[in-house]
Amino acid sequence: MEEMEEELKCPVCGSFYREPIILPCSHNLCQACARNILVQTPESESPQSRRASGSAVSDYDYLDLDKMSLYSEADSGYGSYGGFASAPTTPCQKSPNGVRVFPPAAPPPPAALAPPPPPRNACLTCPQCHRSLVLDERGLRGFPRNRLLEGVIDRYQQGRAAALRCQLCEKAPKEAAVMCEQCDVFYCDPCRLRCHPPRGPLAKHRLVPPAQGRVSRRLSPRKISTCTDHELENHSMYCVQCKSPVCYQCLEEGKHSSHEVKALGAMWKLHKSQLSQALNGLSDRAKEAKEFLVQLRNMVQQIQENSVEFEACLVAQCDALIDALNRRKAQLLSRVNKEHEHKLKVVRDQISHCTVKLRQTTGLMEYCLEVIKENDPSGFLQISDALIRRVHLTEDQWGKGTLTPRMTTDFDLNLDNAPLLQSIHQLDFVQMKVPAPPILQLEECCTHNNSATLSWKQPPLSTVQVEGYILELDDGNGGQFREVYVGKETMCTVDGLHFNSTYSARVKAFNKTGVSPYSKTLVLQTSEDMQSEEQTLPFPVPLERSQLRRMSPFSSTLNLQPSFPGRSYFELRSSAHQLSLHSSLQSLNSAVAWFSFDPASAHADIIFSNDNLTVTCNSYDDRVVLGKTGFSKGLHYWELSIDRYDNHPDPAFGVARIDVLKDAMLGKDDKAWAMYVDNNRSWFMHNNSHTNRTEGGITKGATVGVLLDLTRRTLTFSINEDQQGPVAFENLEGLFFPAVSLNRNVQVTLHTGLPVPEFYASRSAMP
């Protein structure tokens, strides 16, 4: 209810409406406030004379855009739009509600000092829409009283817990002391003495306490609205053209003779219904606005949390830069110290060398001087030649750069800090922009056998750079999504899917800034329907695709139905976004499966390479690795090439259950059916039981073939396209995964998607 209070206050006085009147522009004013802002216009400046003379308009010409007159063409008593001049140019003021109002005209001079005033017309400007309204001879009585608004204000004030206030206080209303039942006004003591003195006709009015007055006002019958032209007549009809209630006397006088008039009660119900319908839409907008405000308030909290987190991250980044600078500073100081020690060592070594040399030279000089002092010629001549040579030799030694410093005092190091300073000055925030979510191109998406091709693109108006895409697929059972492709291509073929199952696919883009939201989720359902020959296609599907990125998703089950001639149909749809794709493709006589080894289920000692198609081991013991795809129906053939075969190990090849032992040779338990071989012979093994020893082993470069026929429930092996013995195992039922066991002396590579070998195809063709 508090939000409604502004609707109940006068735009001029800022208080609750008192005796509100309805202006032709549908706004309301207190009757006293309307009387205060009336402007008296001389007869020469009346709208009629101004329009006739075509005189210049005043400074308030912006009011001429939408003037209203109470002189309606139909004389309905209500204003219609007219092309009148604006109100007189009087300075405007602001009301407590902030709207512009025109002050009352200056009082006329005394009669003794001024000539008789010319005839005047009253002009009123709506303080809310600023439309100029020219009053007729009835003045403000020509405006209807808004008794409905009075009733709303009464109920609102009665529902407020605050004390009743005086209705005549100009500024801060004081608490009411009494209420006059006849005037229906609450007075404080000063206003009662000033406006309602207990003398004259007012002495007969009954004054009651405010609380009692509130009760009596609540219990008093609501006044019935009467006609503004005929005060004794109640409104009984409604004029559709004038959009106002009228009485029977107005109709008899012919004011609305050409207008459509309807019953007041019927129009009351109709307008109530229209208002209720309009309020329903407004209520929805208000509900959305409230939810939006909740979102904005959550954003405020999130912004505060993100600000704290970002500030902490910024401080950590700057601290990391400072730490790196301090570490580099320590390294540079260490280099300066090393240079300092080197220079000191060189100079000190030279000082020591020169000191020794100078001592020797001084000793030689002193010895020569003493020899010169001797007077024995023969003795002098015996040693003079040797002394002369020693003196020259010593002098020569001093002349070979001995007296030149070997090291300068300057440090030949100049720190180049200009690039770093420039980088520091250029250190700034980068606007974070993540890519828009990609759009799946349904016309480019299709399925074929146990693979699905998905294509996507960026939105046409997206300008953010994309560095790559991430394609995610669930496990076919409505489980969690996993990444099956990361790269720059916008088309990818995912292998190793199984028929008669449902997958969900989605894609997102990424760059250095972050990752985009996901695209719409696309649900891929593979099915075989022999009765679908007459299905129609909404758009063509490409039959050939070249240079596609082929990826195998993860360990899953491939259920292949028995092959049949004709067409198979696969449905690609999105239940969440009503996306559908029906593709019709020719089926092959046998289903071809592409798969790779599965790191998730392999022993920890297995080493993978070549996109999980090549495996070896880092242990001398046998370790088991399975394929990603499991088979329960159909005819399947794959090969394994021997890349390395050292020291005569015994690798094993075959099929196994998902829970087979991973740290023993394949076939040691009852969960595997295998052929293990050496360089001379091969054996079939299941549950640690050896059968059908066959001559012929493997070497480096050999090829081992495994053929699983779940239609006939048999398993057959071959080496270099030569079948090894008869059928290895029969009566196979259930789910089987391709399997290999090997040690560090063996490395093999898997080859899938191969046709059935000739020896088995010819046998299958026999009756």
Side-chain angles (χ1 to χ4, degrees), residues 97-115:
N97 283 359
V99 299
R100 184 181 57 199
V101 298
F102 290 92
L113 302 178

Side-chain angles (χ1 to χ4, degrees), residues 615-732:
V615 292
T616 184
C617 183
N618 59 10
S619 172
Y620 285 106
D621 297 326
D622 291 303
R623 298 292 185 249
V624 173
V625 57
L626 301 179
K628 281 189 174 181
T629 303
F631 305 105
S632 62
K633 296 179 181 180
L635 177 63
H636 315 285
Y637 176 73
W638 62 93
E639 292 180 349
L640 300 111
S641 59
I642 310 301
D643 301 331
R644 191 178 72 251
Y645 186 77
D646 303 329
N647 301 325
H648 309 294
D650 296 332
F653 312 91
V655 296
R657 306 290 190 190
I658 189 65
D659 55 347
V660 66
L661 293 176
K662 304 299 193 306
D663 55 357
M665 178 182 289
L666 201 64
K668 289 289 186 180
D669 59 359
D670 61 348
K671 303 297 178 60
W673 295 257
M675 176 186 71
Y676 75 93
V677 294
D678 58 16
N679 59 336
N680 294 319
R681 295 171 298 276
S682 63
W683 293 266
F684 303 142
M685 185 166 62
H686 170 65
N687 200 13
N688 204 22
S689 175
H690 304 261
T691 59
N692 295 330
R693 172 178 173 180
T694 305
E695 297 296 329
I698 60 172
T699 59
K700 179 180 178 181
T703 300
V704 176
V706 182
L707 194 150
L708 178 63
D709 188 350
L710 292 175
T711 303
R712 299 182 177 180
R713 301 188 298 171
T714 61
L715 180 64
T716 307
F717 298 96
S718 64
I719 298 179
N720 297 330
E721 298 185 357
D722 292 332
Q723 182 175 347
Q724 296 297 297
V727 173
F729 300 99
E730 296 178 333
N731 301 322
L732 298 178

Side-chain angles (χ1 to χ4, degrees), residues 220-240:
S220 61
R222 183 171 298 177
K223 299 178 182 179
I224 301 176
S225 177
T226 59
C227 180
T228 55
D229 294 334
H230 313 93
E231 297 181 356
L232 299 179
E233 296 291 337
N234 296 332
H235 290 141
S236 57
M237 304 297 289
Y238 182 83
C239 179
V240 178

Side-chain angles (χ1 to χ4, degrees), residues 495-707:
D495 301 324
L497 304 179
H498 51 83
F499 294 154
N500 301 327
S501 187
T502 301
Y503 291 92
S504 297
R506 63 188 184 185
V507 64
K508 58 184 177 181
F510 65 89
N511 58 14
K512 293 181 179 179
T513 302
V515 182
S516 74
Y518 286 103
S519 66
K520 294 181 179 180
T521 301
L522 201 63
V523 178
L524 167 66
Q525 181 177 359
T526 59
S527 62
E528 292 182 349
D529 185 2
M530 300 190 63
Q531 305 298 328
S532 302
E533 288 292 336
E534 297 181 357
Q535 290 189 12
T536 59
L537 303 178
F539 43 76
V541 178
L543 296 180
E544 295 183 359
R545 301 183 180 276
S546 59
Q547 299 179 355
L548 296 181
R549 178 64 179 246
R550 310 194 72 87
M551 300 292 295
S552 296
F554 33 76
S555 179
S556 59
T557 303
L558 179 58
N559 293 322
L560 298 179
Q561 299 290 351
S563 60
F564 58 92
R567 305 169 67 88
S568 61
Y569 291 84
F570 307 96
E571 182 183 14
L572 186 61
R573 71 178 189 275
S574 172
S575 57
H577 302 280
Q578 292 77 42
L579 303 175
S580 63
L581 168 66
H582 299 270
S583 61
S584 174
L585 301 171
Q586 290 289 342
S587 65
L588 303 176
N589 289 331
S590 61
V592 180
W594 293 273
F595 58 91
S596 61
F597 289 115
D598 183 18
S601 61
H603 194 278
D605 293 337
I606 297 295
I607 301 174
F608 294 85
S609 60
N610 188 23
D611 289 336
N612 298 334
L613 294 175
T614 301
V615 292
T616 184
C617 183
N618 59 10
S619 172
Y620 285 106
D621 297 326
D622 291 303
R623 298 292 185 249
V624 173
V625 57
L626 301 179
K628 281 189 174 181
T629 303
F631 305 105
S632 62
K633 296 179 181 180
L635 177 63
H636 315 285
Y637 176 73
W638 62 93
E639 292 180 349
L640 300 111
S641 59
I642 310 301
D643 301 331
R644 191 178 72 251
Y645 186 77
D646 303 329
N647 301 325
H648 309 294
D650 296 332
F653 312 91
V655 296
R657 306 290 190 190
I658 189 65
D659 55 347
V660 66
L661 293 176
K662 304 299 193 306
D663 55 357
M665 178 182 289
L666 201 64
K668 289 289 186 180
D669 59 359
D670 61 348
K671 303 297 178 60
W673 295 257
M675 176 186 71
Y676 75 93
V677 294
D678 58 16
N679 59 336
N680 294 319
R681 295 171 298 276
S682 63
W683 293 266
F684 303 142
M685 185 166 62
H686 170 65
N687 200 13
N688 204 22
S689 175
H690 304 261
T691 59
N692 295 330
R693 172 178 173 180
T694 305
E695 297 296 329
I698 60 172
T699 59
K700 179 180 178 181
T703 300
V704 176
V706 182
L707 194 150

